[in-house]
Amino acid sequence: MKLLEERIIREGKVYAGDVLKVDGFLNHQMDPALFRAMGEEWRRLFPGEVTKILTIEASGIGLACVAGEVFGCPVLFAKKSRTRNIAGSVYTAQVESYTHGGVYTILCAKEYLLPTDKVLILDDFLANGNALLGLLSLCQQAGATVVGAGVAIEKAYQSGGERVRAKGVRVESLAKIASMTPDEGVGFC
Ligand code: 5GP
């Protein structure tokens, strides 16, 4: 998606440790007009029935919420919890953090993720795929149908895209990074 690629070129900063900072429009300050264009692009790519959008806190929430308005469906975000053993009314999955290291638990209430749901998973970045695989696990536990996954920025040189697609999930990324270094910046696929 040209609009997103241009923003990344203009405002993105590549840090050591394979981290792209896009705090000016995605991860800190947010650009709702850009989010709307992204939501419309995902709608074009996933024209079938979607009854729920599922994302993960915190950075996915803004773009998922705007996309939810485009799709006309509720938006559910998985919460990150420090507690490992939470029983009962929630689905949980373990996710390894890309940016902070360590493993955390994500959870969502069973009452909001149903076997009848047709779910589109959305997130800001796809790196090693752990966040998306955690969200996929929540959907599988619920018996929900996963329509696909939409990602704003996929770092295509990392393993996540392959891992998630190997599970049979259609992944649509709006900007695909082929390589990035602090010196040379970002190159797209
Ligand atoms: P994964 O679970 O696919 O390894 O990483 C995805 C998660 O890590 C995303 O939810 C995102 O928050 C974070 N992440 C991964 N790579 C980057 C990056 O280059 N920049 C930023 N800002 N976040 C990233």
Side-chain angles (χ1 to χ4, degrees), residues 26-114:
L26 186 60
N27 287 139
H28 191 21
Q29 176 170 263
M30 296 182 282
D31 182 343
L34 177 65
F35 285 6
R36 174 137 202 120
M38 288 161 55
E40 283 165 359
E41 182 62 6
W42 280 317
R43 176 81 274 196
R44 191 185 67 76
L45 293 163
F46 295 103
E49 190 187 8
V50 172
T51 65
K52 198 146 294 173
I53 287 175
L54 176 66
T55 189
I56 186 168
E57 72 175 353
S59 294
I61 295 176
L63 60 87
C65 204
V66 176
E69 198 176 83
V70 175
F71 280 77
C73 71
V75 176
L76 179 65
F77 66 89
K79 298 188 177 195
K80 291 177 181 170
S81 164
R82 290 203 191 128
T83 317
R84 269 163 181 272
N85 299 314
I86 306 148
S89 57
V90 293
Y91 299 116
T92 66
Q94 303 295 309
V95 173
E96 199 177 311
S97 169
Y98 185 87
T99 40
H100 301 110
V103 173
Y104 57 91
T105 301
I106 59 169
L107 63 93
C108 77
K110 290 182 179 174
E111 67 178 303
Y112 300 127
L113 194 56
L114 305 173

